[in-house]
Amino acid sequence: MYASAAGAKELLEDCRQRLTDILTCDPEDLVFLSGATEANNAVLAHFAAKRGKVAVSAIEHPSVREPAAGAALIPVLVTGHACLDSLHILLTGSDPPPMVSLMAANNETGVIQPWQEALEMCRRKGIPFHCDAAQWLGKLPAAGLGECDFLTGSAHKFGGPKGVGFLKIRGPFRWLKGGPQEERRRAGTENLPGIAAMVAALEAREAALAAQLPGPEFRNAFETLVQRSIPGTHIVAVTSPRLWNTSLLVLPSHANVKWLARLSRMGFEVSTGSACSSGGGASEVLAAMGLPEDALRRVIRVSALPEHSEEDWLALAAAMAEVHASLRDTDKAG
Ligand code: PLP
């Protein structure tokens, strides 16, 4: 009942309104929470526990796949796309899933997924559709994503702080109990500074995207250079539409950790997988795409910020050529 609390409440609801303006959905359908992992768990665990065998793509983040225990998997094609023919078969079968989950863009390959088509297919059947848009938001315009029945977003993927995100939901369900916050759907004091920073970050990215949509030219020039200087390098899903900032490479020789250590000493921060799955062994996404076991240990993933210039991309390509030469020299010496 005191002024500072009222001010905080006002700011919270202002943030909710501004976020829904970007997503074009109703403020009542938006819940603030700790990030994409919590959002995905809330939706998938709810459906898997209450309504049974949900359908998720084989390339979903573990925070979708694990709570969807026993889910029907929508396979992935060699192009890195979830297979819509398989989704069609699931939706028109005798026991259709109670909900479907397909991400907007993949966190490892960057491949843009056919979420609009999947949403339409589900809508025709009256089946709720969830989209994990953690990788899409802030890199491509958010327009249309608010149409999904359930939508996941995470602030640190678009320049906001870690530990805050949102979930657009439809229907009455609760996953954290013990408080009145967020209409009792997600109890616990809201992270207001994080929420305010998240909304400001997404607004800034949306404005920048509206002014100029980044293209894949710098990334493509980098890939061409790497393929030229390191023969035998395979670019995963090279012909598929991908996020402009992501490149996933299978190098011809040496374990990826050797490349990473050398590149790190030269000031380049690349990873063996997406930030949230690196360090956890071989990539399940690439295994689902049919990459052989030995290739999985030679994978490195590069992802850029909007601030990165063409020079940055080309400097990384030059550094990789240097690492390639130094690894060869070490082999010869050995
Ligand atoms: N979903 C996708 C597609 C991701 O790339 C990640 C990785 O960060 C997550 C979910 C998990 O997000 P958070 O770190 O916000 O829990």
Side-chain angles (χ1 to χ4, degrees), residues 108-296:
E108 296 191 35
T109 62
V111 173
I112 292 169
Q113 299 298 317
W115 60 270
Q116 289 101 329
E117 291 89 333
L119 168 63
E120 274 311 309
M121 288 164 73
C122 289
R123 209 173 248 172
R124 283 199 291 274
K125 291 280 166 197
I127 293 175
F129 178 76
H130 167 248
C131 184
D132 174 355
Q135 291 289 333
W136 175 294
L137 287 163
K139 298 184 190 105
L140 293 172
L145 281 168
E147 298 278 319
C148 300
D149 302 298
F150 299 89
L151 179 73
T152 291
S154 174
H156 71 102
K157 299 292 177 191
F158 48 76
K162 292 178 169 65
V164 59
F166 66 84
L167 173 63
K168 186 217 156 180
I169 60 174
R170 188 156 286 171
F173 67 92
R174 309 161 71 181
W175 60 99
L176 286 189
K177 295 174 185 151
Q181 295 87 356
E182 302 297 292
E183 305 292 334
R184 294 199 171 273
R185 292 170 292 195
R186 198 265 185 188
T189 305
E190 292 97 344
N191 171 6
L192 185 55
I195 291 166
M198 168 171 72
V199 174
L202 191 57
E203 284 174 338
R205 283 284 182 96
E206 283 288 313
L209 291 172
Q212 191 178 11
L213 196 62
E217 297 80 20
F218 301 164
R219 190 269 320 275
N220 292 352
F222 158 81
E223 290 178 346
T224 305
L225 272 182
V226 170
Q227 282 186 305
R228 207 175 289 155
S229 59
I230 311 174
T233 301
H234 168 66
I235 314 284
V236 178
V238 68
T239 55
S240 302
R242 289 174 287 155
L243 295 174
W244 52 266
N245 78 322
T246 305
S247 179
L248 193 69
L249 310 111
V250 184
L251 296 158
S253 64
H254 299 95
N256 46 16
V257 285
K258 289 196 174 168
W259 288 82
L260 254 59
R262 281 173 161 80
L263 287 169
S264 165
R265 286 201 287 275
M266 297 165 85
F268 294 94
E269 299 171 344
V270 301
S271 69
T272 56
S274 74
C276 32
S277 62
S278 60
S283 155
E284 289 182 35
V285 170
L286 295 179
M289 284 174 69
L291 256 80
E293 179 78 25
D294 73 305
L296 302 182

Side-chain angles (χ1 to χ4, degrees), residues 34-38 40 61 63 103 105 107 132 134-135 154 156-157 274 276:
S34 66
T37 299
E38 181 187 336
N40 291 342
H61 187 269
S63 58
M103 65 199 335
N107 44 309
D132 174 355
Q135 291 289 333
S154 174
H156 71 102
K157 299 292 177 191
S274 74
C276 32

Side-chain angles (χ1 to χ4, degrees), residues 69-86:
L73 283 188
I74 306 163
V76 62
L77 305 167
V78 281
T79 53
H81 297 97
C83 175
L84 289 182
D85 289 344
S86 302

